[in-house]
Amino acid sequence: MFTSLSDRLTSTFKNLRTKGRLSEADIDATIREIRRALLDADVAVAVVREFAANVRERALGAEVSGALNPAEQVVKIVNAELVAILGGEARTVRFAKNPPTVIMLAGLQGAGKTTLAGKLAHDLRSKGHTPLLVAADLQRPNAVNQLSVVAERAGVPVFAPHPGVAGEDEVPTGDPVAVARDGVDTARSREHDVVIIDTAGRLGVDAELMQQAADIRDAVTPDEVLFVIDAMIGQDAVLTAQAFLDGVDFTGVVLTKLDGDARGGAALSVAKVTGRPIMFASTGEKLTDFEVFHPDRMASRILD
Ligand code: GDP
């Protein structure tokens, strides 16, 4: 990810280095190139606009202060602005004072929620937690089975509505809200300190899905609602994120498929537009392809 954006910015800064002191025109030309590179990387227009305005203001200020190496100064400013739009500080799960900590996953079908549930459970388990996975995606025929497989790989138990009932082509019956609530009760009685609830996703945003997710949220009052989004969806990321923010609300974002050739727009837009931090990144199909999202490291990767 970010390869083309990174290449574009690198060549922009290379041009800048050939200059001594930067004029306002140099700075404007540079910002035009940065704007174009960000738009081509599918960053939301509003985000690009604000980013460009901030960089310009700070770069002009830096020029006036007579920095010795103006090009480096601009790189530094761009870096700082990238870190800011990516959410600033890294943030991980906030654990509840009274366990279990309830983590609910929401997002479109295929975003990578089930895969992420396993990764998160695996990561938490390796840190001494005792997570329980809850299969509240009763929409997709094979979702419960898929979560069971993921749970087994992660070495954590799973709470499912009708264990063993969901075959390859069977849609499990049951009420996802009740499953989520029972899952949390079960976690409490069996002393699991974390519950991760996988919920249903549709191919597109729809009202029924949102209502179901909101009902689950109301039933279990989660400590964290993680909005899981495929980084490959580009410009659609902002609209989808906004719909989930309005429909369910969420406390953090998980970006998936960062190992693919996404152009990076989703990463650079979602945190800024929603005001929610990107907490984790999913970078492949293996359990261990999972990391805490560090805005500063991501910015450095872009400006490498
Ligand atoms: P869900 O419908 O949101 O539960 O999505 P799934 O967890 O079933 O994931 C959909 C597909 O994306 C599956 O084939 C996963 O193996 C794949 N997948 C999930 N996360 C990643 C990732 O970070 N990288 C890659 N390359 N594939 C992923």
Side-chain angles (χ1 to χ4, degrees), residues 208-249:
E208 204 187 321
L209 155 78
M210 284 302 171
Q211 194 52 51
Q212 186 186 92
D215 290 345
I216 293 176
R217 177 203 61 202
D218 292 344
V220 301
T221 52
D223 300 285
E224 300 275 13
V225 179
L226 302 185
F227 169 58
V228 181
I229 184 161
D230 178 342
M232 308 278 282
I233 75 171
Q235 288 284 356
D236 282 349
V238 168
L239 284 179
T240 308
Q242 193 63 52
F244 274 87
L245 193 70
D246 296 342
V248 196
D249 201 356

Side-chain angles (χ1 to χ4, degrees), residues 108-115 119 140 146 256-257 259 282-285:
L108 296 181
Q109 183 174 318
K113 288 182 298 300
T114 307
T115 310
K119 291 176 177 185
R140 202 152 48 89
Q146 196 194 335
T256 64
K257 311 190 193 178
D259 51 313
S282 186
T283 54
E285 301 196 47

Side-chain angles (χ1 to χ4, degrees), residues 68-143:
L68 277 179
N69 184 342
E72 286 305 329
Q73 192 77 18
V74 173
V75 177
K76 209 171 131 197
I77 291 165
V78 170
N79 182 73
E81 284 300 321
L82 279 176
V83 173
I85 66 168
L86 287 168
E89 300 280 303
R91 178 166 97 68
T92 54
V93 172
R94 275 192 296 241
F95 292 98
K97 276 198 205 85
N98 299 315
T101 299
V102 179
I103 303 172
M104 172 180 162
L105 308 181
L108 296 181
Q109 183 174 318
K113 288 182 298 300
T114 307
T115 310
L116 188 269
K119 291 176 177 185
L120 186 57
H122 180 257
D123 183 67
L124 289 168
R125 183 173 165 251
S126 75
K127 292 177 173 140
H129 294 282
T130 54
L132 175 69
L133 286 173
V134 174
D137 176 357
L138 308 185
Q139 214 72 40
R140 202 152 48 89
N142 200 30

